[in-house]
Amino acid sequence: MRERIQRLRKATLEAVPRLSMERALLLTECVASPDCAREPVPVQRALAFRHILTHKELYVGPDEMFVGERGPAPAAVPTYPEICVHSASDLDVLDSRAKVFYRVDAEARRQHLERVEPFWSGRAQRDRMFRELPPEWIAAYEAGVFTEFMEQRTPGHTTLGGTIYRRGLADLKGDIARAVAALDFDRDPAALDRRDELRAMDIAADAMIAYAARYAERLDVLAAGEPDPARRDELARMADICRRVPAHAPRTFREALQAYWFIHVGVITELNPWDSFNPGRLDQHLGPFFERERAAGTLDVEDAREMLQAFWVKFHNHPAPPKVGVTAQESGTYTDFTLINTGGVRPDGTDAVNDLSYLILDVIEEMRLLQPGSMIQVSKKNPDAFVKRAARIVRTGFGQPSIFNTDAVVQELLRQGKSLEDAREGGCSGCVEAGAFGREAYILSGYFNLPKIVDLALHDGLDTRTGRQLGPHTGDPRAFASFDGLYAAFEAQLRHFVDIKVRGNNLIERLYARHMPVPFLSLLIDDCIAKGRDYHDGGARYNTTYIQGVGLGTTVDALASLRHNVYATRRCTMDAMLAALDADFAGHEALHRALLDDTPKYGNDDDRADDLVRRVFGSYWSLIDGRPNVRGGAHRVDMLPTTCHVYFGRVTGALPDGRRAGETVSEGISPVQGADRRGPTAALNSAAKFDHVKTGGTLLNQKLTPRALAGEDGLMNLVHLVRGYFSRDAHHIQFNVVTRATLLDAQRHPEKHRDLIVRVAGYSDYFANLTRELQDEIIRRTEQQDF
Amino acid sequence: MTAGRLFDIKRFSTHDGPGIRSTVFLTGCPLACWWCHNPEALALHAPPGAHAAAAAADFAAPGRGFVGEFTTAQVLDEVLRDRPYYERSGGGVTVSGGEPFEQPAFLLDLLRESRRCGLHTAVDTCGLAPAEVVREAAAATDLFLYDLKLLDPGEHERYTGRANGGILENLQLLDRLGASIWIRIPLVPGITATPANLEATSRFLLDRVSCRRVSLLPYHRAGTAKHGRLGRAYRLPDLAPPTAEDVAAARGHFESKGFTVRIGA
């Protein structure tokens, strides 16, 4: 690694996240002005975007190769008061909490409380949502049956396609002009809305071009004053690049990277979408530039490597926007979920792995940063050598890259109605979410607490935590003559809360379409310009709303235990089971032991439990899949938790699998922590027993001992595990390669393990950054060994 | 359909032959090696009775679902679940123990049925068995993992309870039959890992058989606690595993004679 990259890497690792009020103040200044207020909503948003980009501070750090920062400096994190306005106590919590803190200095605090909070309080999107949502939604949300993704962050989960590498914003402005010219004011009742939206997009495009021009000027000034001739030349060259992109299509590898980065900064400045933003198939987009310049002899591989490394640092400079309350609990991390895709297939279905794919894997290994996240797409058409190269990085034990099954993802997207080429150009973003890159608004709406549904079904809809009747009356479980009777109650509770969640989603998505358009993001996603419709209003070619199921393993084990112990073997009566649950197993130790150690568990390739994974998934899926959303698309399911399994565990009572009240539930589709005891192939077989192709993503964690991956044979074992799992159309797998002893030592002596990075669920994080509960959860996961 | 007595099936087994495998552990053993790390193989082989039942309950801990009597079909049902992993990795099923030849009818049935399902078959054996059975097994076995512990007959009898004449004869028989064989040598300090024994072993192999692949299995103490749980005295309570230098010396010995050497597999 070159010295400048070492310095950049060190600086970004040492940057302390702090709140910057720059964006909030500029936003407020613009929106409060009469000139802005008289405009239609999309234009107001575009004007605010322009105002921010026109006046925000520029940052050019020493050694930097690419410019553009969301805040005035690295790790200076803006707020988004039009979405969620923080209270004074929120600022205290952000500043003082032990993990994932954001420093709030006195000046920022004063600015916020005097100028930002008074203006936005009551007008923020979150306030609007909570005013409009019905009481049953609020009750379920407060009880922890589901979370709401759009309460503090905006619909995102989208990934850029290849457009910007072929066409500049000036070209897109041409498209806008043509779309405006084609508006049909004779017959189209929405023509005016479309014109407003297109005008907003045009303003946003100009604003970004002007922002790049500001950087060009600044770089010229810096070049003029630079004593070092090499750096002077570089600054001048960077200025030229900023005059070229993103207004026009990039011509070189370096221009392409800078073009993407300006776009990225634009999207995360306009609003705070989930998963920030994502270049997606980086090896595919940059591959042609790389190959062309390599052939022409104008690009040295080591220089390309350095550029990618400097590019990596830019992502790492951007911690997630501050989250509080439930949002902080469901996603308690600085990671903001950009997920670089490599590998997979080309639009014609052929192997997409290229030289750049391998160079990107080198960069992932060398940089060893939490952000950007990285993954490989593995198709049966990709060579084992590629998977093996990635396995070598996985073995170093920082949870990256995660591994995805392209052949399953393509099937998932086709099932949802995407064209074959759009499916093949897609991939996965965020944690594990499948999408048609550049063409789809696939919005995650919130986590859904499946174990809590079992809890409710066992108590006739009563929330044992609050003593409140939360769900419908589905009957006293003592009266159920069979497991099917109990399962019917589970399904009835599930239907009730899914219905509430879906109705809430439809309301919230309309509020976003109406009040919070994103003209800049809309520029970038097909077919928003052609339709003259915003990304938040069905402008994308494909529009999907996901509800993410959490705790599948816990739910299956709880139901399997009831079937086995109460109905099949009659080890105990339902009455005895309920008594044990209500006592949190105190005084019921013998039964508790039997529930833990002598009851079928999901994750052991044991059909006495695993047939229920098909049934529970089937119930959840059939209640959600295909239900229309308000953007012309449909609801779908995926199965991932981020950190929500800890929060959901906290609000869920004791369950028949032996889990005590408050304990963390299972994550993703992984077995309950420690319940899978028959080795990794058995766990993988269990996880592949339901049809992943019907989802938009599943998440499976496996923890392996370093010994199991030792040597060349060990690496190949990992490759074969992945290939074997994927042969069953499984979606995703990721590995922690670390011993229990190391984790325990890191818990006792965090100072000795500052650099220890682990895979949580769909992302990696510093072990020291995790809450104690999350640390414990990862320690409890089964450590798969070889034999 | 025959049935056999098992004390485990381990999946994702990666050290008992090539690729990812499932290893089926059969009870029973004609030897009683001082360093034995699977003493339950003997204890659980006893006819059903109080002692065996207690031992079975003890070893049937969660996740060890295969303690007791199972039919070939039941074993295959478990083993075939991992077929996708075998097929990609060149793995399959390994029958081990104990000593699998102690249950010859079940062993042969399991090997033949596994073959019929297209699985790669391996047998991990100490080699002490009637020649006829060995000959029959060879017809259904793709690879033998063949233990050679001590070449000196007296030493062999002292530390394992049986002489080694039949073992050496069966190895030559398998070699004549054209079987694939990986030799496995436990490195027990002061007992098998002596210069004299290693020299005798390599000379025997060079002189008598064509197999040139040797796996060295460094002694480990994993079995110590099991002896205690079975209420038996462990005869090597203070023995330390071989040092890295010991292992390197043994490796060097075989490599210098032209063998391909693997450690621990």
Side-chain angles (χ1 to χ4, degrees):
Chain A
M1 192 184 295
R2 292 177 180 170
E3 274 181 33
R4 76 186 299 182
I5 298 297
Q6 290 178 29
R7 288 192 298 267
L8 282 171
R9 184 174 182 279
K10 184 162 182 285
T12 194
L13 284 170
E14 288 174 355
V16 177
R18 62 185 169 90
L19 287 196
S20 158
M21 290 302 152
E22 179 187 61
R23 180 188 181 281
L25 291 170
L26 289 169
L27 169 81
T28 310
E29 187 174 83
C30 179
V31 173
S33 74
D35 284 351
C36 183
R38 70 180 186 198
E39 296 288 355
V41 170
V43 175
Q44 288 183 23
R45 294 293 310 157
L47 291 176
F49 180 69
R50 184 174 75 184
H51 191 71
I52 294 166
L53 290 187
T54 307
H55 297 286
K56 77 195 290 301
E57 265 187 56
L58 301 182
Y59 174 85
V60 182
D63 299 313
E64 277 213 306
M65 303 180 76
F66 302 102
V67 291
E69 281 285 326
R70 180 183 54 185
V77 183
T79 61
Y80 300 80
E82 70 270 52
I83 302 303
C84 165
V85 57
H86 297 122
S87 65
S89 72
D90 287 339
L91 296 185
D92 293 339
V93 168
L94 288 168
D95 183 52
S96 63
R97 67 188 175 203
K99 315 261 169 152
V100 196
F101 59 79
Y102 295 78
R103 295 293 173 234
V104 186
D105 64 29
E107 176 67 3
R109 188 185 170 82
R110 190 188 59 75
Q111 289 168 333
H112 178 79
L113 294 178
E114 287 180 9
R115 293 161 60 192
V116 177
E117 196 267 347
F119 181 82
W120 289 105
S121 186
R123 294 183 204 216
Q125 189 72 357
R126 185 169 192 270
D127 301 333
R128 210 174 262 138
M129 278 168 45
F130 279 91
R131 278 199 301 271
E132 299 289 347
L133 286 160
E136 66 273 18
W137 188 100
I138 304 277
Y141 165 86
E142 286 177 350
V145 177
F146 49 69
T147 66
E148 176 47 56
F149 259 37
M150 258 55 79
E151 61 154 298
Q152 296 180 32
R153 301 194 62 177
T154 66
H157 301 285
T158 196
T159 302
L160 197 58
T163 303
I164 66 151
Y165 308 98
R166 296 186 294 269
R167 310 185 68 224
L169 293 180
D171 301 312
L172 298 182
K173 278 172 59 70
D175 293 350
I176 292 170
R178 279 184 288 279
V180 171
L183 287 173
D184 182 357
F185 278 88
D186 284 321
R187 275 165 299 196
D188 178 6
L192 178 62
D193 295 340
R194 294 186 212 278
R195 194 196 67 187
D196 291 345
E197 175 69 25
L198 288 163
R199 201 178 128 219
M201 290 187 204
D202 194 60
I203 294 167
D206 281 334
M208 177 48 71
I209 293 169
Y211 176 63
R214 287 181 66 210
Y215 263 110
E217 279 174 38
R218 167 64 63 88
L219 288 160
D220 280 337
V221 171
L222 290 172
E226 173 62 44
D228 173 18
R231 178 65 173 165
R232 185 163 60 231
D233 287 351
E234 181 172 48
L235 289 167
R237 206 172 139 213
M238 286 162 67
D240 286 341
I241 291 172
C242 293
R243 276 185 279 272
R244 171 79 198 178
V245 299
H248 307 287
R251 293 160 303 190
T252 65
F253 189 74
R254 184 160 183 167
E255 285 182 356
L257 286 167
Q258 179 67 69
Y260 174 78
W261 188 253
F262 274 130
I263 297 296
H264 186 97
V265 169
V267 171
I268 64 175
T269 298
E270 182 176 47
L271 275 178
N272 63 350
W274 277 103
D275 299 352
S276 59
F277 201 48
N278 196 341
R281 306 281 298 273
L282 198 61
D283 55 348
Q284 304 309 296
H285 301 319
L286 298 180
F289 297 97
F290 182 74
E291 280 152 30
R292 201 159 55 229
E293 286 173 80
R294 291 281 299 136
T298 54
L299 180 65
D300 178 77
V301 173
E302 291 312 305
D303 290 338
R305 182 192 304 272
E306 183 182 41
M307 286 178 219
L308 286 169
Q309 290 172 330
F311 185 66
W312 248 241
V313 168
K314 294 303 283 187
F315 287 96
H316 195 271
N317 280 349
H318 291 78
K323 295 166 262 191
V324 295
V326 171
T327 302
Q329 300 208 41
E330 71 186 347
S331 182
T333 174
Y334 290 127
T335 298
D336 213 15
F337 299 99
T338 294
L339 189 64
I340 306 284
N341 284 224
T342 50
V345 295
R346 296 192 175 96
D348 66 1
T350 56
D351 174 15
V353 171
N354 58 29
D355 288 348
L356 191 59
S357 314
Y358 288 97
L359 186 63
I360 288 173
L361 291 178
D362 285 354
V363 169
I364 293 164
E365 183 168 36
E366 290 156 6
M367 294 305 282
R368 207 177 169 83
L369 292 172
L370 297 186
Q371 297 203 81
S374 58
M375 63 89 116
I376 58 166
Q377 288 197 26
V378 177
S379 158
K380 57 181 179 284
K381 292 168 181 166
N382 300 135
D384 274 354
F386 175 64
V387 190
K388 197 172 163 192
R389 173 70 190 92
R392 224 177 264 286
I393 308 174
V394 168
R395 186 166 69 179
T396 67
F398 84 117
Q400 290 195 36
S402 51
I403 305 173
F404 286 82
N405 184 0
T406 301
D407 304 320
V409 170
V410 169
Q411 289 185 71
E412 291 161 24
L413 295 173
L414 285 174
R415 191 194 74 82
Q416 297 176 356
K418 276 91 173 174
S419 77
L420 185 58
E421 289 72 22
D422 288 355
R424 286 171 171 165
E425 285 194 288
C428 295
S429 63
C431 292
V432 297
E433 303 87 283
F437 289 176
R439 300 175 178 126
E440 182 175 10
Y442 48 114
I443 290 164
L444 272 61
S445 65
Y447 295 112
F448 195 96
N449 189 347
L450 293 167
K452 179 92 181 172
I453 300 297
V454 180
D455 193 359
L456 288 164
L458 284 174
H459 294 93
D460 194 21
L462 187 84
D463 184 359
T464 50
R465 209 167 123 263
T466 58
R468 189 173 161 183
Q469 186 68 32
L470 188 68
H473 288 285
T474 46
D476 182 338
R478 295 170 191 82
F480 298 140
S482 67
F483 178 72
D484 285 344
L486 174 83
Y487 195 85
F490 168 78
E491 250 186 344
Q493 295 289 345
L494 185 63
R495 179 179 300 112
H496 176 79
F497 289 103
V498 164
D499 286 351
I500 291 173
K501 179 65 177 164
V502 168
R503 289 194 292 262
N505 285 350
N506 289 344
L507 184 150
I508 291 164
E509 289 191 352
R510 273 318 292 164
L511 289 178
Y512 267 95
R514 191 185 286 169
H515 297 284
M516 209 49 66
V518 273
F520 184 71
L521 176 57
S522 302
L523 275 171
L524 309 167
I525 302 298
D526 302 339
D527 304 311
C528 294
I529 296 176
K531 292 187 195 170
R533 284 179 74 175
D534 194 82
Y535 175 87
H536 286 173
D537 191 22
R541 185 173 304 168
Y542 306 109
N543 293 281
T544 308
T545 305
Y546 282 108
I547 304 175
Q548 310 100 260
V550 173
L552 185 64
T554 298
T555 305
V556 166
D557 283 1
L559 291 170
S561 169
L562 289 167
R563 187 172 65 178
H564 180 78
N565 292 310
V566 176
Y567 298 103
T569 65
R570 298 186 186 275
R571 170 180 270 144
C572 66
T573 61
M574 180 63 89
D575 196 50
M577 178 69 84
L578 291 173
L581 297 180
D582 292 342
D584 205 13
F585 303 111
H588 302 263
E589 280 72 22
L591 178 61
H592 190 222
R593 191 53 27 218
L595 298 180
L596 290 173
D597 284 343
D598 187 26
T599 294
K601 305 278 185 191
Y602 166 70
N604 295 292
D605 206 358
D606 178 348
D607 292 325
R608 292 175 304 164
D610 292 352
D611 69 331
L612 282 168
V613 86
R614 277 186 283 263
R615 193 162 174 189
V616 171
F617 172 76
S619 299
Y620 183 64
W621 179 83
S622 59
L623 285 170
I624 293 173
D625 187 75
R627 286 175 77 152
N629 62 20
V630 292
R631 294 177 291 123
H635 279 84
R636 308 286 180 196
V637 307
D638 49 22
M639 310 299 284
L640 64 118
T642 314
T643 60
C644 202
H645 54 301
V646 176
Y647 165 63
F648 279 171
R650 213 176 287 143
V651 297
T652 302
L655 289 175
D657 67 333
R659 177 192 151 283
R660 292 185 194 277
E663 279 180 3
T664 301
V665 301
S666 64
E667 44 78 29
I669 61 165
S670 308
V672 167
Q673 297 79 0
D676 47 332
R677 294 163 168 175
R678 292 197 54 77
T681 55
L684 269 45
N685 285 350
S686 289
K689 280 184 188 170
F690 71 96
D691 190 355
H692 295 207
V693 170
K694 288 178 166 176
T695 73
T698 63
L699 185 149
L700 180 68
N701 263 304
Q702 283 284 290
K703 190 162 80 177
L704 295 173
T705 64
R707 205 188 76 117
L709 301 185
E712 287 299 297
D713 289 350
L715 276 185
M716 286 314 294
N717 287 340
L718 189 72
V719 173
H720 297 312
L721 272 182
V722 169
R723 295 275 197 193
Y725 184 49
F726 285 1
S727 74
R728 291 174 165 159
D729 284 342
H731 177 87
H732 154 278
I733 188 167
Q734 61 191 20
F735 297 95
N736 268 313
V737 183
V738 60
T739 64
R740 178 185 163 80
T742 303
L743 296 175
L744 287 172
D745 196 57
Q747 209 170 38
R748 277 191 294 268
H749 308 288
E751 69 288 350
K752 284 186 356 203
H753 298 273
R754 290 252 172 265
D755 296 338
L756 178 64
I757 299 174
V758 293
R759 196 74 184 169
V760 183
Y763 71 103
S764 294
D765 211 337
Y766 287 104
F767 192 68
N769 273 356
L770 305 180
T771 61
R772 176 76 190 203
E773 288 155 302
L774 211 45
Q775 291 180 346
D776 288 342
E777 186 262 310
I778 290 171
I779 290 168
R780 277 203 310 279
R781 290 179 193 169
T782 299
E783 182 176 284
Q784 302 285 17
Q785 330 203 13
D786 55 337
F787 295 103
Chain B
M1 182 71 69
T2 56
R5 270 208 290 283
L6 273 61
F7 66 94
D8 206 357
I9 297 178
K10 280 213 190 300
R11 292 161 64 171
F12 194 59
S13 158
T14 59
H15 299 286
D16 290 327
I20 295 174
R21 316 186 67 82
S22 289
T23 301
V24 181
F25 291 90
L26 272 54
T27 63
C29 187
L31 305 183
C33 305
W34 285 23
W35 54 84
C36 181
H37 64 272
N38 283 336
E40 70 269 38
L42 262 185
L44 297 172
H45 196 55
H51 177 72
D58 188 21
F59 281 96
R64 291 190 76 173
F66 286 87
V67 180
E69 195 163 279
F70 296 89
T71 64
T72 306
Q74 285 174 310
V75 173
L76 269 179
D77 177 63
E78 177 76 1
V79 165
L80 285 172
R81 287 166 174 262
D82 283 351
R83 189 199 280 276
Y85 304 97
Y86 310 147
E87 290 186 346
R88 278 167 183 78
S89 66
V93 60
T94 298
V95 191
S96 181
E99 169 49 58
F101 277 108
E102 289 291 285
Q103 301 185 46
F106 177 66
L107 171 67
L108 291 172
D109 195 44
L110 181 57
L111 289 172
R112 286 170 185 153
E113 288 299 306
S114 299
R115 265 277 178 89
R116 208 174 52 75
C117 298
L119 296 182
H120 178 276
T121 55
V123 174
D124 178 15
T125 178
C126 76
L128 196 61
E132 257 330 289
V133 185
V134 172
R135 191 186 287 275
E136 280 191 72
T141 303
D142 294 306
L143 174 69
F144 284 92
L145 308 171
Y146 204 101
D147 290 7
L148 279 187
K149 300 176 170 75
L150 286 157
L151 260 284
D152 180 86
E155 291 276 288
H156 197 278
E157 186 155 3
R158 177 175 173 214
Y159 286 107
T160 72
R162 297 284 292 270
N164 62 5
I167 293 171
L168 300 179
E169 279 167 27
N170 280 335
L171 177 60
Q172 294 171 85
L173 168 64
L174 285 173
D175 191 55
R176 281 198 304 278
L177 292 171
S180 289
I181 304 168
W182 293 359
I183 302 295
R184 298 178 134 192
I185 303 169
L187 292 181
V188 186
I191 300 177
T192 66
T194 64
N197 185 51
L198 297 180
E199 173 62 29
T201 303
S202 62
R203 184 168 315 130
F204 175 83
L205 291 172
L206 289 170
D207 291 350
R208 303 295 183 85
V209 295
S210 59
C211 171
R212 296 292 175 264
R213 177 178 158 134
V214 170
S215 300
L216 302 176
L217 311 179
Y219 168 77
H220 59 77
R221 303 180 50 82
T224 319
K226 291 187 197 169
H227 288 268
R229 281 164 68 192
L230 291 166
R232 299 171 172 204
Y234 187 52
R235 300 172 79 170
L236 299 168
D238 304 318
L239 185 67
T243 64
E245 291 75 36
D246 295 340
V247 175
R251 171 194 277 263
H253 174 81
F254 283 97
E255 284 181 342
S256 72
K257 311 266 180 196
F259 288 91
T260 301
V261 180
R262 312 265 297 187
I263 306 294

